[in-house]
Amino acid sequence: MTSLDKPTEHGNAPTDHGNAGQDADSRAVTEAALFEAFGGVRGMVETVLPGLLFVTIFTINKDLHMSAIAALAVSLVLVVVRLVMRDTVKHAFSGVFGVAFGVVFAMMTGNAKDFYLPGMLYTLGLALAYMITTIAGVPLIGLILGPVFKENLSWRTRNPGRKKAYAKASWAWGLILLAKCAILFPLYWWADTTQFGWVLIALKIPPFLLAVYLTWVFLAKAPPPIDVFAEMEAAEKAEEERKAARP
């Protein structure tokens, strides 16, 4: 065997380093996209804080009106802070709508537990939406993240590996949210308001983090997204060059 035939320790190093670099870039892009789509730490705080304030005040004084008003007020403050900082307000606005519906339900029935009912129904509907859309071949997580990755719906027909990853992630979201509902709905009927409220707050973040983590795992291993925006820009540039080259 000649020296050219012998395998060397570093013979595959450039390829390995190249693949490692591509993997690192893919993971970084995935992390950034998930952070943007789901709001990151700040989005989680905006999701938890109104409900936490509601259950804390209600635990102390059992005053439904004061608890509801405080939760709605802090939601509005979070929106104002976003507006002042000229930041995206979609997560804060969704929090306001959720709290407002909860306040309306609780005030109409006089039952403090009904403050949480709209959010529970939304969670159940979202769980079903994740699973039904996946069965239909258009997993919801792909519809949510496609624009964030600048791939839109290209994954449906042009990137089967990525479609499979979106399907796995959507199943994960659906099953995790359904498991959360399986815990909360019985407690809604059996537990008192204070106990139920604290359990609900405790279940706000862990299932969400688990679903986001699994989404990151599936997408980090998937083929990279097809940047359809870059493709359109390249096509437009090529068309302009052809027009400019005409006599």
Side-chain angles (χ1 to χ4, degrees), residues 5-6 8 24 29 44 54 60 68 98 103 123 127 138 150 193 198 212 242:
D5 296 326
K6 294 178 182 179
T8 62
V29 169
M44 288 188 288
F54 179 91
I60 294 170
V103 168
T123 299
V138 278
K150 299 180 181 180
T193 301
W198 285 112
V212 171
R242 281 196 296 269

Side-chain angles (χ1 to χ4, degrees), residues 88-100:
T88 177
V89 295
K90 62 180 179 180
H91 299 290
F93 265 130
S94 64
V96 168
F97 289 130
V99 171

Side-chain angles (χ1 to χ4, degrees), residues 14 26 32 36 48 113 119 150 155 164 180 225 233:
S26 176
E36 177 183 344
V48 172
K113 277 197 289 189
K150 299 180 181 180
W155 50 268
K164 184 177 180 180
K180 179 178 175 180
E233 291 176 358

Side-chain angles (χ1 to χ4, degrees), residues 163-182:
K163 181 179 179 179
K164 184 177 180 180
Y166 280 138
K168 290 180 179 178
S170 288
W171 275 118
W173 278 91
L175 293 174
I176 288 170
L177 294 180
L178 199 61
K180 179 178 175 180
C181 291

Side-chain angles (χ1 to χ4, degrees), residues 10-221:
H10 302 290
N12 294 327
T15 302
D16 292 342
H17 287 313
N19 291 337
Q22 290 176 356
D23 290 342
D25 290 343
S26 176
R27 290 174 182 269
V29 169
T30 300
E31 288 173 8
L34 291 176
F35 191 90
E36 177 183 344
F38 297 115
V41 175
R42 188 173 179 180
M44 288 188 288
V45 170
E46 292 171 342
T47 299
V48 172
L49 190 56
L52 178 60
L53 189 59
F54 179 91
V55 71
T56 301
I57 295 175
F58 191 83
T59 299
I60 294 170
N61 61 18
K62 303 297 191 253
D63 189 326
L64 170 59
H65 290 78
M66 181 181 294
S67 303
I69 291 171
L72 186 58
V74 76
S75 297
L76 292 171
V77 168
L78 292 172
V79 171
V80 171
V81 170
R82 288 267 190 176
L83 291 172
V84 170
M85 297 181 66
R86 297 181 179 179
D87 202 352
T88 177
V89 295
K90 62 180 179 180
H91 299 290
F93 265 130
S94 64
V96 168
F97 289 130
V99 171
F101 277 116
V103 168
V104 170
F105 268 66
M107 292 296 189
M108 287 176 61
T109 65
N111 184 354
K113 277 197 289 189
D114 286 341
F115 172 79
Y116 304 106
L117 187 56
M120 293 167 56
L121 294 173
Y122 172 78
T123 299
L124 177 59
L126 191 58
L128 295 175
Y130 275 117
M131 292 186 287
I132 292 171
T133 55
T134 304
I135 293 171
V138 278
L140 181 58
I141 199 71
L143 300 177
I144 294 171
L145 294 180
V148 178
F149 283 110
K150 299 180 181 180
E151 61 182 334
N152 284 349
L153 296 178
S154 62
W155 50 268
R156 286 195 62 200
T157 55
R158 300 172 57 192
N159 205 338
R162 199 157 180 86
K163 181 179 179 179
K164 184 177 180 180
Y166 280 138
K168 290 180 179 178
S170 288
W171 275 118
W173 278 91
L175 293 174
I176 288 170
L177 294 180
L178 199 61
K180 179 178 175 180
C181 291
I183 296 172
L184 292 180
F185 275 95
L187 288 177
Y188 173 79
W189 297 107
W190 299 336
D192 64 38
T193 301
T194 300
Q195 293 172 336
F196 177 71
W198 285 112
V199 171
L200 191 145
I201 293 300
L203 289 177
K204 278 279 187 180
I205 300 302
F208 172 81
L209 289 179
L210 176 59
V212 171
Y213 172 73
L214 290 176
T215 302
W216 176 79
V217 169
F218 295 140
L219 292 182
K221 295 178 180 179

